[in-house]
Amino acid sequence: MESIITVISEEPQLKDAILIEGLPGVGNVGKLAAEHLLDNIDAVKFATIYSKHFPPQVVLDEDCVATMVNNELYYAKNVGEGRDLVILVGEYQGMTPEGQYELSSHIIKMCTEMGVSTIYTLGGYGVGKMVEEPRVLGAVTTKSFREMLEPHGVEFTAGEPGSGIVGASGLLLGLSKLNGLDAACLMGETSGYFVDPKGAESVLKVLNSIIGLEMDMSELESKAEQVEEITSKIKDMESSQDPGRDDLGYIG
Amino acid sequence: MESIITVISEEPQLKDAILIEGLPGVGNVGKLAAEHLLDNIDAVKFATIYSKHFPPQVVLDEDCVATMVNNELYYAKNVGEGRDLVILVGEYQGMTPEGQYELSSHIIKMCTEMGVSTIYTLGGYGVGKMVEEPRVLGAVTTKSFREMLEPHGVEFTAGEPGSGIVGASGLLLGLSKLNGLDAACLMGETSGYFVDPKGAESVLKVLNSIIGLEMDMSELESKAEQVEEITSKIKDMESSQDPGRDDLGYIG
Amino acid sequence: MESIITVISEEPQLKDAILIEGLPGVGNVGKLAAEHLLDNIDAVKFATIYSKHFPPQVVLDEDCVATMVNNELYYAKNVGEGRDLVILVGEYQGMTPEGQYELSSHIIKMCTEMGVSTIYTLGGYGVGKMVEEPRVLGAVTTKSFREMLEPHGVEFTAGEPGSGIVGASGLLLGLSKLNGLDAACLMGETSGYFVDPKGAESVLKVLNSIIGLEMDMSELESKAEQVEEITSKIKDMESSQDPGRDDLGYIG
Amino acid sequence: MESIITVISEEPQLKDAILIEGLPGVGNVGKLAAEHLLDNIDAVKFATIYSKHFPPQVVLDEDCVATMVNNELYYAKNVGEGRDLVILVGEYQGMTPEGQYELSSHIIKMCTEMGVSTIYTLGGYGVGKMVEEPRVLGAVTTKSFREMLEPHGVEFTAGEPGSGIVGASGLLLGLSKLNGLDAACLMGETSGYFVDPKGAESVLKVLNSIIGLEMDMSELESKAEQVEEITSKIKDMESSQDPGRDDLGYIG
């Protein structure tokens, strides 16, 4: 079996396109942002990526029809200010370091060949406490690309995140640099303890500003309110037990 | 050394055959069902699969003759309503995700080449408590295949199993779909705490109905009674200590 | 880098030779036996096997000269009743299942090409308690080979060892069978808690009987006495604390 | 993706050059020593090594520009008594045994082709307690190379380090021996509990003596004083709690 099997249902003709990655990660910020984007533009699924670097598992749809764990690629043409988009989503990242490198390398190669010239990877930046107004931090492949992003609200702070960026959001950046593509990682601040739709909204607002797109955020906002309700209940329970405690500790 | 070594003693001429997989898993439900099936039809062993994805180990027979850990393939012609069967059994599944993918992929390729057109994988669905009347849940490669199975008592419930299907029973399904084969996973409900001949009996009854076969179940039934005796003793001991406790907790 | 690098200093001309494996394992029984054999015959080192399946490490000799972790092959001609011997020793086995398969497969291929036709793998059979008179259990590739071994004191008991044989001692047997070589594993009973020269002596006596060799065992015997002294001291300490305790528990 | 990707910005013309390795390890002694050396000679970076054997991660510089985790090679010509130097530094070693072997093998091959004939690997020797005057222990590929090093203060003691040398510092030695290169590992004694600039200074002094170089050590010395201050504070705290305690236990 090949390490990576890509099943392509349509070969889109794209020009100077943008790849947006939103795989699972810290607070699932990138995944939520990319999925909300997908739901609000006219995107077509064109490729499914299977790999022995994913868990050996099938998932079932509501009809109990099974599909092997995978990543999916969608495209949308002439979005916002006119750029074509490719969007990468999925339930899993590669399970091993080697798998991570092979999958990211495969995606860069495939997307370059179909006309992608810019990459935005979306993720969360875990700060270990609740965040009222999540900043969106950036990391880039070149200093000039950074200058293009700053007017849109991306913050670049030396030493944040101090440990660098792990997984697909990091590797797609690193491999873009090696291949001469412009790429940036947009990281929404998040506690890191919960799935975080608020962090996702922050990231998506910045991304929308960059690609000249507007969209309704009410679904993300209502999800954020639900999470906030739950976490504030837990907080109340905790403070009634231990009034001196400040942060949330690890929950779920 | 090749990753997978298949030693073939006979190349059966099969037509439109059915592969039945019964490797170890939750409650060993699939393994017990496939082994009972093997004991009750006129099946011939024709292939042994060795692999470096299995544990580095030999097992000994009653004469202390050693054989490397393996999976075995048997065939039987003109079974039940007339279909040819191939049956896959063994003591182990692949030890790593990569090994799982390679072994399942190898088996699909090999079986397709010898005339297999339909696959049933047998397994258990762990529900965490004792089950009086185990349902048999199904997962399929296509919706039309599901319609064929429902009259035989296979239940299809959205969201069960919620986590999908892990290991050979799942991958053989996923890879069948990629290769255009009809396949279904039949999962017998089981506590997941014990080897479960009762769950195996439920699965086998459904499978027999599908392939038009009848067989004596008394051996599985007597094994089920033995297990039930032991578990009810444990239950008694537990309830005498803690009368409010409802489920079994984790045993063995 | 190749997975396995074999540096050969001399290509011995052997005929119908016997390979004896004594790598580390339960109680280091096989390793001690093979090393004692090496010290008592006129053997010449002819090959060193390096591999990325071993730990990434060098060992130092008394001059602080470094050598990568390896396995070594020695030969001796016309030993005992006239057979040529090849002896495999080393400080490590392969670190992963895949590494175990690749190394054993490499050794079988290499030894077959240089004239080996019979293999004895030496090991320990951990029984979890002290053993006064260690039996030597056997496992074989064919029933007829078993008949040849029984007169030399090898015991064959159905169900022992119940879990089969793990590692090089097992795989060399399994791969011999696939390649049509006669092979047996000789396992000396041992507690499994200590390095066990007494178990090694039992195994070596049986092996010597098979190949028609006699040798002084006093070094193994004096090592066995040292171990016995230490363990009986520990036993005394334990029983003075807990007089009802029967076995040794896990030490070292 | 290739397992190892080497991006070369310049191909230096070297003759009879010396490779010096200073990757992370015990007390980061080798890394600190190699980095101090780099800061004090006129060295030029000429190659970057990326690999799927490193963590799947990018690191960020002060401008938030991302680079994949890597190892770097620098060269300097006509250093000290006139030898050319190649210096290997980085934040990570290979993450798996196989990765360690592949990376070390790749570096040996690459450096040999560009004219390296001698290798010094720098590391720490963890002794489990604070060391006032760290010795520099040596390990070599040949006895004659050892004789060349002894006058420069390298100590060779049978049985130290008893467990051999693990990782790049060991493998580069072992592979040098296989490839007929002279190589030595210089190990500065260190507690193993802290990053240890004092151990690094000892190693660098010996290396400087060997290659006929002099340099200012004040930066390493001031770092060593900072570490000493912190550790003596901890020691004070510990002895006030437990005056009978002699060693430091595990900190950081």
Side-chain angles (χ1 to χ4, degrees), chain B residues 33-159:
Chain B
E35 285 171 355
H36 189 83
L37 172 64
L38 261 190
D39 290 345
N40 285 277
I41 58 173
D42 197 22
V44 179
K45 183 175 153 185
F46 69 96
T48 310
I49 298 169
Y50 304 97
S51 171
K52 64 189 188 192
H53 301 302
F54 291 137
Q57 192 174 342
V58 289
V59 291
L60 306 182
D61 68 13
E62 68 277 14
D63 292 320
C64 298
V65 173
T67 308
M68 276 202 299
V69 157
N70 60 64
N71 283 183
E72 296 179 336
L73 287 167
Y74 292 77
Y75 77 90
K77 302 197 78 160
N78 199 17
V79 177
E81 285 170 3
R83 294 278 291 268
D84 296 343
L85 300 189
V86 174
I87 297 157
L88 170 67
V89 291
E91 297 298 322
Y92 290 94
Q93 295 204 13
M95 292 176 81
T96 60
E98 183 177 339
Q100 288 270 8
Y101 276 99
E102 294 216 349
L103 284 162
S104 289
S105 174
H106 176 81
I107 286 158
I108 291 270
K109 187 164 180 292
M110 188 179 158
C111 288
T112 311
E113 284 169 6
M114 66 173 51
V116 165
S117 59
T118 314
I119 296 181
Y120 294 103
T121 67
L122 311 183
Y125 172 44
V127 294
K129 58 177 183 189
M130 298 310 283
V131 183
E132 278 308 306
E133 305 269 325
R135 294 178 299 159
V136 174
L137 296 174
V140 284
T141 45
T142 65
K143 236 178 134 176
S144 61
F145 197 53
R146 167 183 166 159
E147 279 152 27
M148 196 281 272
L149 296 173
E150 279 170 322
H152 297 284
V154 187
E155 292 187 29
F156 293 88
T157 315

Side-chain angles (χ1 to χ4, degrees), chain B residues 165-185:
Chain B
I165 305 164
V166 177
S169 285
L171 285 191
L172 288 173
L173 223 61
L175 290 165
S176 288
K177 195 176 169 187
L178 279 190
N179 287 277
L181 298 177
D182 279 334
C185 179

Side-chain angles (χ1 to χ4, degrees), chain C residues 52 55-57 63-64 66-67, chain D residues 101-102 140 146 163-165 167 177:
Chain C
K52 64 189 188 192
Q57 192 175 343
D63 293 320
C64 298
T67 308
Chain D
Y101 276 99
E102 293 217 349
V140 285
R146 168 183 166 160
S163 57
I165 305 164
K177 194 175 169 189

Side-chain angles (χ1 to χ4, degrees), chain C residues 29-235:
Chain C
V29 166
K31 183 172 184 288
L32 289 171
E35 285 171 355
H36 189 82
L37 172 64
L38 261 190
D39 291 345
N40 284 276
I41 58 172
D42 197 23
V44 179
K45 182 175 154 184
F46 70 96
T48 311
I49 298 170
Y50 305 97
S51 172
K52 64 189 188 192
H53 301 303
F54 291 138
Q57 192 175 343
V58 287
V59 290
L60 307 182
D61 68 13
E62 69 276 15
D63 293 320
C64 298
V65 174
T67 308
M68 275 201 300
V69 157
N70 60 62
N71 282 183
E72 295 179 336
L73 286 167
Y74 292 76
Y75 76 91
K77 303 197 76 160
N78 199 17
V79 177
E81 285 170 4
R83 293 279 291 267
D84 296 343
L85 299 189
V86 174
I87 297 156
L88 170 67
V89 290
E91 297 298 323
Y92 290 93
Q93 295 204 12
M95 292 177 81
T96 60
E98 182 177 340
Q100 288 270 8
Y101 276 100
E102 293 217 348
L103 284 162
S104 289
S105 174
H106 176 82
I107 286 159
I108 291 271
K109 187 165 181 289
M110 188 179 159
C111 287
T112 311
E113 284 169 5
M114 65 173 52
V116 166
S117 60
T118 313
I119 296 182
Y120 294 103
T121 67
L122 311 183
Y125 172 43
V127 293
K129 58 178 182 186
M130 299 310 283
V131 183
E132 278 308 306
E133 305 267 326
R135 293 178 299 159
V136 174
L137 296 173
V140 284
T141 46
T142 64
K143 237 179 133 175
S144 61
F145 197 53
R146 169 184 165 159
E147 279 151 27
M148 196 281 273
L149 296 172
E150 279 171 323
H152 298 283
V154 188
E155 292 187 28
F156 293 88
T157 316
E160 282 190 309
S163 57
I165 305 165
V166 177
S169 285
L171 285 190
L172 288 173
L173 222 61
L175 290 164
S176 288
K177 195 176 168 187
L178 278 190
N179 287 277
L181 298 177
D182 279 334
C185 179
L186 307 177
M187 291 161 278
E189 277 190 316
T190 178
S191 70
Y193 302 140
F194 304 95
V195 168
D196 186 358
K198 198 202 246 176
E201 192 188 347
S202 305
V203 166
L204 194 49
K205 278 183 179 163
V206 166
L207 181 68
N208 282 347
S209 167
I210 296 168
I211 59 181
L213 194 64
E214 283 189 25
M215 71 184 52
D216 182 49
M217 293 288 180
S218 52
E219 209 186 306
L220 275 181
E221 279 162 8
S222 93
K223 278 187 199 168
E225 273 163 34
Q226 287 168 36
V227 170
E228 218 147 298
E229 238 170 83
I230 296 168
T231 58
S232 72
K233 273 185 197 161
I234 296 172
K235 229 175 168 175

